[in-house]
């Protein structure tokens, strides 16, 4: 895409929204959307073109408090689905429910 074609397209985008928007803001939104869609960080890193997975995780993926609550719910579901085994493992699962 040429610079002038991008400028014309971006002018249409900015007229369509009622807030300040930059192209870079869309990269952050894309990264966060990938996370919410369940795309793993390694794939998101590649799609965003980052050289480091740390950059993708720490800078571009904006997580909220409800994301932590969702993770807690996923852990609860996983633990509830585990079969109870009799002493075959050195790791024990404690059921609080």
């Amino acid at each position: 895409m040429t610079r002038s074609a991008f400028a014309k397209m971006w002018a249409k985008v900015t007229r369509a929204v009622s807030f300040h928007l930059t192209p870079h803001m869309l990269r952050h939104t894309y990264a966060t959307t990938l996370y919410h869609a369940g795309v793993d960080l390694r794939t998101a890193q590649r799609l965003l073109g980052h050289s480091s997975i740390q950059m993708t995780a720490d800078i571009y993926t904006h997580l909220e408090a409800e994301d932590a609550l969702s993770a807690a719910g996923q852990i609860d579901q996983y633990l509830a689905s585990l079969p109870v085994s009799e002493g075959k493992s050195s790791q024990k699962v404690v059921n609080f429910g």
Side-chain angles (χ1 to χ4, degrees), residues 1-10:
M1 176 178 276
T2 66
R3 190 177 288 264
S4 64
F6 176 81
K8 287 179 187 176
M9 186 245 353
W10 192 251

Side-chain angles (χ1 to χ4, degrees), residues 10-86:
W10 192 251
K12 289 179 186 178
V13 169
T14 56
R15 282 194 302 270
V17 297
S18 61
F19 54 90
H20 175 72
L21 181 68
T22 66
H24 194 74
M25 291 166 74
L26 296 180
R27 284 182 58 78
H28 288 264
T29 301
Y30 179 54
T32 303
T33 302
L34 289 171
Y35 169 79
H36 285 135
V39 175
D40 66 278
L41 276 175
R42 184 70 63 196
T43 301
Q45 173 196 359
R46 293 240 172 169
L47 291 171
L48 289 159
H50 293 153
S51 59
S52 147
I53 197 167
Q54 209 63 38
M55 178 180 285
T56 305
D58 293 345
I59 298 173
Y60 279 84
T61 307
H62 301 279
L63 306 181
E64 303 294 332
E66 58 265 16
D67 295 317
L69 291 174
S70 175
Q74 289 173 325
I75 292 168
D76 285 345
Q77 286 179 350
Y78 170 74
L79 291 175
S81 72
L82 291 177
V84 178
S85 63
E86 296 294 325

